[in-house]
Amino acid sequence: MEAGSLVIEVGVDEAIARASQLAERRRALLGIAGCPGAGKSTLSAAILARVSSSVVVPMDGFHMLNDDLIRLGRRNRKGAPDTFDAEGYVRMLRRVRDQAADELVTVPRYDRAASAPVPDAITVDPTTPLVITEGNYLLVDTPPWDAVRPVLDEVWYVDVD
């Protein structure tokens, strides 16, 4: 765990209450990190359902295309840190962070059936105060992933027994 980190064990209701507090700001970026299958998407969906002034922009939308992974010899490693467009993900987070009052930002989502990102599938309205992003690598401390954490207001790590 990095210096300055705080570990607090909370339930879903407490997490939603904290997310609601974050939504009282003009713009807050909340990261939800954890291992595959830990419940990041489930927690994000629960917050989205109960905090109406929120949107989810998953890291999975930044998977590299399968053709690119094949060309790079990484197709069998899909899902590893180097199989994402991490720089594009960071650019998107910064754009959302600095979003102008008259700007709509569109971001990709991942289509599991197609095993590919869908461009411009999610719209972030400038009046939406809480932007939730979730993914496995939000707390990785090596480049290029180390640029993610400084853009986020809070990052929660979902852990399972």
Side-chain angles (χ1 to χ4, degrees):
M1 180 167 34
E2 71 181 57
S5 295
L6 177 65
V7 176
I8 301 173
E9 293 186 25
V10 299
V12 173
D13 289 336
E14 292 90 349
I16 291 169
R18 176 62 187 149
S20 293
Q21 290 175 339
L22 290 172
E24 294 172 2
R25 300 181 182 184
R26 180 192 172 286
R27 172 59 52 91
L29 271 66
L30 169 62
I32 300 178
C35 296
K40 300 175 300 293
S41 298
T42 301
L43 179 57
S44 296
I47 294 168
L48 184 64
R50 302 236 328 250
V51 180
S52 61
S53 53
S54 63
V55 64
V56 177
V57 292
M59 182 194 85
D60 280 354
F62 290 85
H63 272 282
M64 288 181 177
L65 297 172
N66 289 334
D67 289 345
D68 292 333
L69 293 174
I70 291 167
R71 182 177 46 77
L72 295 168
R74 298 181 194 160
R75 177 62 178 99
N76 65 332
R77 302 183 64 251
K78 188 170 185 170
D82 65 332
T83 65
F84 286 85
D85 176 10
E87 292 89 357
Y89 178 63
V90 170
R91 277 192 307 275
M92 178 276 298
L93 291 173
R94 288 180 180 147
R95 187 170 173 210
V96 167
R97 156 80 52 221
D98 300 329
Q99 188 172 5
D102 61 348
E103 177 186 22
L104 291 177
V105 175
T106 58
V107 300
R109 72 168 174 78
Y110 190 72
D111 181 336
R112 296 214 181 280
S115 187
V118 178
D120 303 323
I122 300 167
T123 300
V124 180
D125 187 278
T127 63
T128 303
L130 179 61
V131 178
I132 305 159
T133 189
E134 56 94 357
N136 299 344
Y137 306 123
L138 307 186
L139 294 172
V140 171
D141 61 1
T142 56
W145 292 102
D146 62 341
V148 172
R149 177 61 187 102
V151 182
L152 304 174
D153 294 294
E154 290 186 13
V155 178
W156 302 348
Y157 187 84
V158 177
D159 197 10
V160 292
D161 292 338

